[in-house]
Amino acid sequence: MQPVERLADKLEAPSLDDRSYRVIRLPNKLEALLVHDPETDKASASVNVKVGSFSDADDMPGMAHAVEHLLFMGTKKVSSGKCIPCYRLVFDAAKYPKENAYSQYLASHSGYSNAYTASTETNYFFEVSVNHESSESTPSDGESPLYGALDRFAQFFVAPLFLSETLDRELKAVDSENKKNLQSDNWRLSQLNKSLSNPKHPFHHFSTGNLETLRDAPRKRGIEIRKEFMDFHDKHYSANRMKLVVLGKEPLDQLESWVVDLFADVRNKDLPPNRWDGIQPYSEKEVLTQVFAKPVMDNRLLDIYFPYQDEEYMFTSQPSRYLSHLIGHEGPGSILAYIKAKGWANGLSAGEMDVCPGSAFFTISIRLTADGLKDYQEVVKTVFQYISLMKETPPQKWIVDEIKGMAEVDFRFKQKSPASSFTSRLSSVMQKPLPREWLLSGDKLIRDFDVDAIIKAMSYLRTDNYRLTIVSQEFPGDWDHKEKWYGTEYRTEKIPPDFEAAVRKAGESMAKDRPAELHLPHVNEFIPTRLMVEKKEIPEPSKAPKLIRNEEGIRTWWKKDDRFWVPKGNILITLRSPLAGVTPMNVVKTKLYCDLVNDALVEYAYDAEIAGLAYELDHTMIGLDIHISGYNDKMPVLLEKVLVSMRDLEVKPDRFKIVKERILRGYRNNIFEEPYRQVGDFTRWLGRDGGFITEQYLAELPLLTPDDVSSFKPQLLRQMHIEILVHGNLYKEDALRMSSLIESTLKPRALPELQWQVRRNLILPKGSDSTYVRTLGDPANVNNCIEYYLHVGYYADMDLRARLLLLGQLTDEPGFDQLRTKEQLGYIVFTGAKVAATTMGYRVIIQSERSPEYLEERINAFLSMFAKTLEDMTQQEFEAHKKSLINKRLEKIKNLDQETSRFWGYIGSEYFNFLQVETDVTHIKSLTKQDLTMFFEQYIHPTAAYRAKLSVHMVTQTAPKLVAGNITPAEQKEKVLGLLTKYMTSMGIGVDEDKLASHFSHIDVAAGDQSAMISAVANYLTEDAQVPEEHAEQIIEQGQQLLSAILPSLGIEVQPLTDDAEDLPPVPPVKDTTFITNVHEYKASLEATAGPRPLMDLSKFEESEPKL
């Protein structure tokens, strides 16, 4: 056997990186990056295979995506450790044939997995705890969750089973995933760009796939689809196309031993790299065209696509970053500053878009106003005028040095990311032709100022080398085509000659011809220069910030970073004002005010943003939130500018009109969001004492004027309570100065605690069962959704909280496996705890084409089934789940922002429970199986007498009941029989209507039992009509399609055709639900909880000893 080749033992890494690295190549040419992290509590691995949807067969789009799904569905176990001649695989007794063995193993070790399919690669990854109970010791091989997960993971690439019994289900999962995206403008517009590209280039492909492309159409052509997927895997999956990253706590030698042992049997077929050099996504036919597309959401976009060079081998200079820095700039002199001042646009982004080895695009995307849409040609001309400015100015070294310098600072102080994010990204980076020592830094750092490369890059931004896409629901209105896969309405045409000539003139313009407002950016004054961090040895990082000011009008929390030692900080401020959320109109006025301030700060704040310092100003139901984050050097400067802008805002009518219209479109678009993204808004609204929903804001916004906001602003800022958290590389004096800065700039009166809003949730009565039904606003969305919520109790009840969290752990994998994998209810399935301000409960969310009523039945069936699962669970299994949950709760914070978010969450909750994690762990450890069983029987089981349930049903406008109206069951059966009679007659079958009806006499047609109807037709054909079996099968196959089409039009919810329907868990008997028809009366009938209160005296957090 050939030895393992060592490619690199040291990688260029961030200054604070405490990991060690090794890059190896196995004898089968599989390349692996091994990462030893002595401090990690999570281990992870990722394999990136250099094959994706561009390798799909033209007549079977979605193959790569389907193979990605199918690899999860069970593997054989290959004997390892030996080189097998001719790559013949010798199988032991199947070790991991169970389809969910992998996911079960990960779930029991605080882990999870995922995968994605891209154009030229497929990426698989997982994450687990480093050991069974804690991260304090490194376990041996046999005990390591990483080894066990790797063992199962490796088999995806050695010996996948492609289980025939799972094939249909996973193809339905792919189909459901596709249907989830059908109304997403991102997917629709991306596919439109592909569908209108060069059909000879694989960019033209439909990448997701659906049942028609992956199952039905191939079967009609006589193709054995399982063999096609196995052949795809055999043809394209090869060790020399795979890059593996393994991150663990184990030493590098141990990780290398495992990788060699487990991945040695991945077959190497010495496949060549996929490249598409000889052909481009846009041919001459596609350039100099404009595409008008109608979106689902009310958005207005102008996208400019330039066919561009592949920069794969240009990693030392990365010339596209020079282009995107200038074109995408938002400061004075920029394209955006000019077209924003003209009232044409709200936003602009630009950058290179990789397509595949051999081709790319450079894209410019502009968010247009209504006036900008009318004048989109002027916007395009402005872009080309700026490009002419760039081309006539030699590449500026100071600009590259600025970009290069910030990239170096960002890389130097880069903090850790979650383990699976790291491995997944790096396995993809390994596919690039980078020196192995630069795997961490190669795509981050610019090393060369290459004038020729920049000039060549700009040469692609030509007036004869672009395509426009104009997106609007209104303009031009005469769309005459529909895109094949998503149904997007569009029209395409050549650029009109006069417009083409005007663009050409703009692209050749001289300085005297261009607007004087267009110029290159100035030197960025926000580039950080003070990057020192005073690091001190400490026994243990502090678990809570200190309260350094606690007065009637202000409360300041501060923690000097003692964990990550980076020159960064976060300032989070809540300006509490009861005016902000008291009525829907006030909520809208507060949002208008915030958005107007943000609009006024765009040019100023952009320099700070590209220098790693950003701000956010947003409205909440209790006031205003300001967040300042990034390098701490210039942080006070940005904070002061934001505060002064808030104080001195002048509401200009022209900007008010644009901002108001943008908010209006945002509210309208909210109604067109995917159902699973909307359903939680209604559950929260129904469970909150007060609160509003989008339609209430929509009713108020059109009535508001600039004067309304101008008069509201001083009222909003006049009296408030200020809550501040200062965290990071900032001293106590810095925190106090910034506290004073807020006070001295805004000068508010103190808001006494007695006037603070008290957040309360509503208590579902014991034994109640309520349902709220809401029809989707998007008429084309075919998906329904349910949120099934079971009230458990008060948020601060730590014992109940521990039980709820453990139940979420116990049901996570079984819920996904049963409801999504086995029953195929939908692509979106969530189970687990749901926490509100003062209450908590257990929830299930499913988005599906099935009716919410059916989904509710299946959730009840699953919970009833789980009661038996819990009863049969061994003590060892139960303890393993407890340990898995404890590991999740004790997961280490990876970076400064995560710790800030945790602190701010505790402060914002008003419980100030900075030891929440430790408290949870203490209560979880003490739980017994009997505790969980009693908890489940009291709060969760569908037949529990006192459980309290609220369901929210989001119903599609295409739901059978809404489509058909008030047709009776008898009329439904009569119409079905009539249509079947006509169908069989058209197939040459004489029909005795009475005998056919007799076969339907015991069938509840209204219940949609399609299987029973098909069986009745089959019995009639063979018993009464004496049709030969082969002919009868043909008639029945087509009849199934007919029934699937006609039943919904008659108001009948079709039950799925499944071979294993009899194996579904039975639906338990449950009490009838009460439908909520008047929300005000419903909420008025419920008791409210107490409000949140500190769990300990805040004086305990006041500083009493010297700190950093």
Side-chain angles (χ1 to χ4, degrees), residues 770-802:
S770 303
T771 300
Y772 180 69
V773 180
R774 189 87 182 184
T775 303
L776 291 177
D778 183 358
N781 199 312
V782 300
N783 290 303
N784 300 292
C785 187
I786 182 174
E787 179 162 11
Y788 176 111
Y789 174 75
L790 302 173
H791 175 76
V792 167
Y794 184 47
Y795 174 82
D797 186 329
M798 295 303 159
D799 192 49
L800 268 183
R801 176 182 161 90

Side-chain angles (χ1 to χ4, degrees), residues 610-648:
I610 59 178
L613 181 61
Y615 89 96
E616 293 178 18
L617 169 65
D618 204 358
H619 73 294
T620 70
M621 293 301 292
I622 65 169
L624 304 172
D625 275 359
I626 307 170
H627 294 179
I628 311 284
S629 60
Y631 295 104
N632 58 276
D633 183 13
K634 308 289 197 310
M635 192 168 272
V637 177
L638 181 58
L639 174 61
E640 183 174 15
K641 180 65 176 181
V642 172
L643 293 170
V644 169
S645 298
M646 292 173 62
R647 182 194 67 195
D648 298 342

Side-chain angles (χ1 to χ4, degrees), residues 870-871 878 928-938:
L870 182 58
E871 179 185 342
F878 182 78
T928 66
K929 182 182 168 184
Q930 184 180 5
D931 291 333
L932 253 291
T933 301
M934 293 175 61
F935 172 80
F936 187 86
E937 290 175 351
Q938 179 176 352

Side-chain angles (χ1 to χ4, degrees), residues 761-1055:
N761 288 106
L762 302 175
I763 302 169
L764 300 185
K766 291 181 179 180
S768 65
D769 190 311
S770 303
T771 300
Y772 180 69
V773 180
R774 189 87 182 184
T775 303
L776 291 177
D778 183 358
N781 199 312
V782 300
N783 290 303
N784 300 292
C785 187
I786 182 174
E787 179 162 11
Y788 176 111
Y789 174 75
L790 302 173
H791 175 76
V792 167
Y794 184 47
Y795 174 82
D797 186 329
M798 295 303 159
D799 192 49
L800 268 183
R801 176 182 161 90
R803 285 164 164 77
L804 177 62
L805 292 174
L806 185 53
L807 177 66
Q809 161 71 25
L810 292 168
T811 59
D812 181 43
E813 195 283 330
F816 187 87
D817 182 58
Q818 182 64 39
L819 299 173
R820 183 185 184 275
T821 304
K822 289 189 169 67
E823 299 194 29
Q824 285 296 305
L825 296 179
Y827 185 74
I828 301 295
V829 174
F830 298 132
T831 61
K834 181 183 178 78
V835 173
T838 59
T839 58
M840 58 187 176
Y842 181 83
R843 63 98 177 263
V844 181
I845 291 180
I846 304 176
Q847 180 173 291
S848 171
E849 291 183 80
R850 307 309 312 281
S851 72
E853 293 85 359
Y854 180 77
L855 299 177
E856 184 131 1
E857 288 182 352
R858 299 318 309 155
I859 294 170
N860 284 332
F862 163 70
L863 292 175
S864 181
M865 178 191 75
F866 182 76
K868 184 70 167 63
T869 302
L870 182 58
E871 179 185 342
D872 295 341
M873 188 176 292
T874 66
Q875 190 62 33
Q876 183 178 4
E877 290 170 333
F878 182 78
E879 291 299 323
H881 276 292
K882 281 175 57 179
K883 291 172 183 176
S884 181
L885 176 59
I886 288 169
N887 282 337
K888 287 178 183 177
R889 296 299 295 133
L890 291 175
E891 182 175 349
K892 289 183 178 179
I893 295 170
K894 301 298 187 295
N895 52 59
L896 182 73
D897 289 347
Q898 283 189 1
E899 186 172 51
T900 302
S901 295
R902 180 176 287 187
F903 288 158
W904 194 238
Y906 296 147
I907 293 168
S909 73
E910 298 182 72
Y911 291 105
F912 302 94
N913 188 7
F914 295 103
L915 299 179
Q916 178 74 69
V917 169
E918 292 77 6
T919 304
D920 286 343
V921 168
T922 299
H923 284 80
I924 292 165
K925 282 182 176 179
S926 66
L927 291 177
T928 66
K929 182 182 168 184
Q930 184 180 5
D931 291 333
L932 253 291
T933 301
M934 293 175 61
F935 172 80
F936 187 86
E937 290 175 351
Q938 179 176 352
Y939 294 101
I940 310 298
H941 198 289
T943 61
Y946 295 110
R947 81 164 187 167
K949 182 174 78 69
L950 169 65
S951 283
V952 176
H953 293 182
M954 303 292 292
V955 182
T956 173
Q957 291 188 30
T958 62
K961 290 179 181 178
L962 296 177
V963 171
N966 297 320
I967 187 171
T968 66
E971 290 171 330
Q972 289 171 331
K973 179 178 284 192
E974 181 182 348
K975 287 183 180 292
V976 167
L977 287 170
L979 289 167
L980 287 172
T981 298
K982 288 181 180 179
Y983 163 66
M984 286 187 281
T985 301
S986 72
M987 298 293 290
I989 307 296
V991 179
D992 184 321
E993 295 183 21
D994 291 337
K995 288 185 178 180
L996 177 63
S998 69
H999 286 280
F1000 277 74
S1001 60
H1002 300 296
I1003 297 176
D1004 185 359
V1005 171
D1009 191 346
Q1010 193 177 180
S1011 296
M1013 292 181 232
I1014 291 169
S1015 178
V1017 172
N1019 291 337
Y1020 173 79
L1021 290 173
T1022 55
E1023 295 173 9
D1024 297 315
Q1026 300 294 305
V1027 175
E1029 185 175 340
E1030 186 175 334
H1031 186 33
E1033 288 178 359
Q1034 181 183 0
I1035 294 171
I1036 290 167
E1037 183 178 352
Q1038 295 181 30
Q1040 288 179 1
Q1041 298 177 18
L1042 175 68
L1043 281 172
S1044 295
I1046 65 172
L1047 291 178
S1049 69
L1050 298 174
I1052 299 170
E1053 185 72 38
V1054 182
Q1055 293 183 19

Side-chain angles (χ1 to χ4, degrees), residues 114-320:
N114 212 332
Y116 67 82
T117 303
S119 299
T120 61
E121 64 182 36
T122 308
N123 194 290
Y124 304 84
F125 56 91
F126 71 79
E127 183 172 301
V128 289
S129 286
V130 294
N131 55 42
H132 288 287
E133 188 166 8
S134 73
S135 56
E136 295 173 1
S137 61
T138 301
S140 62
D141 287 21
E143 298 174 332
S144 168
L146 174 58
Y147 182 85
L150 272 177
D151 190 15
R152 291 157 175 81
F153 186 58
Q155 299 309 303
F156 288 2
F157 314 102
V158 177
L161 285 174
F162 290 95
L163 293 167
S164 56
E165 60 268 30
T166 70
L167 182 62
D168 206 53
R169 288 209 305 264
E170 281 309 302
L171 294 184
K172 288 179 179 176
V174 171
D175 188 67
S176 180
E177 182 177 352
N178 179 59
K179 286 176 177 172
K180 172 184 71 71
N181 300 328
L182 287 179
Q183 292 301 103
S184 164
D185 280 326
N186 285 339
W187 286 88
R188 291 165 70 90
L189 296 174
S190 173
Q191 186 60 51
L192 180 63
N193 188 27
K194 293 179 178 184
S195 295
L196 295 179
S197 68
N198 184 354
K200 295 180 180 179
H201 193 283
F203 183 70
H204 186 74
H205 284 179
F206 166 51
S207 58
T208 308
N210 57 34
L211 273 182
E212 177 64 22
T213 68
L214 295 170
R215 186 191 70 180
D216 298 345
R219 280 180 178 170
K220 289 176 184 175
R221 299 195 301 267
I223 292 174
E224 185 184 342
I225 56 174
R226 178 170 178 264
K227 183 177 182 300
E228 289 294 311
F229 297 129
M230 295 174 72
D231 287 348
F232 183 95
H233 184 273
D234 187 60
K235 179 180 179 182
H236 294 292
Y237 276 56
S238 172
N240 73 306
R241 282 186 173 177
M242 297 181 187
K243 307 298 181 186
L244 166 67
V245 179
V246 180
L247 182 154
K249 197 169 185 177
E250 295 77 6
L252 291 175
D253 289 343
Q254 179 70 81
L255 295 176
E256 180 173 326
S257 173
W258 289 352
V259 167
V260 172
D261 177 46
L262 298 173
F263 288 87
D265 289 326
V266 179
R267 289 180 58 188
N268 176 30
K269 303 154 194 173
D270 276 322
L271 299 178
N274 285 317
R275 291 195 66 86
W276 293 269
D277 293 303
I279 192 167
Q280 291 298 314
Y282 287 175
S283 67
E284 290 184 3
K285 179 182 176 183
E286 284 79 39
V287 295
L288 291 181
T289 59
Q290 54 185 5
V291 179
F292 298 94
K294 183 181 181 182
V296 173
M297 301 284 195
D298 188 5
N299 292 321
R300 292 184 294 264
L301 299 171
L302 168 63
D303 292 331
I304 309 175
Y305 292 89
F306 295 93
Y308 187 70
Q309 64 186 349
D310 174 15
E311 290 191 354
E312 191 174 34
Y313 287 90
M314 305 174 75
F315 45 81
T316 62
S317 59
Q318 303 179 49
S320 64

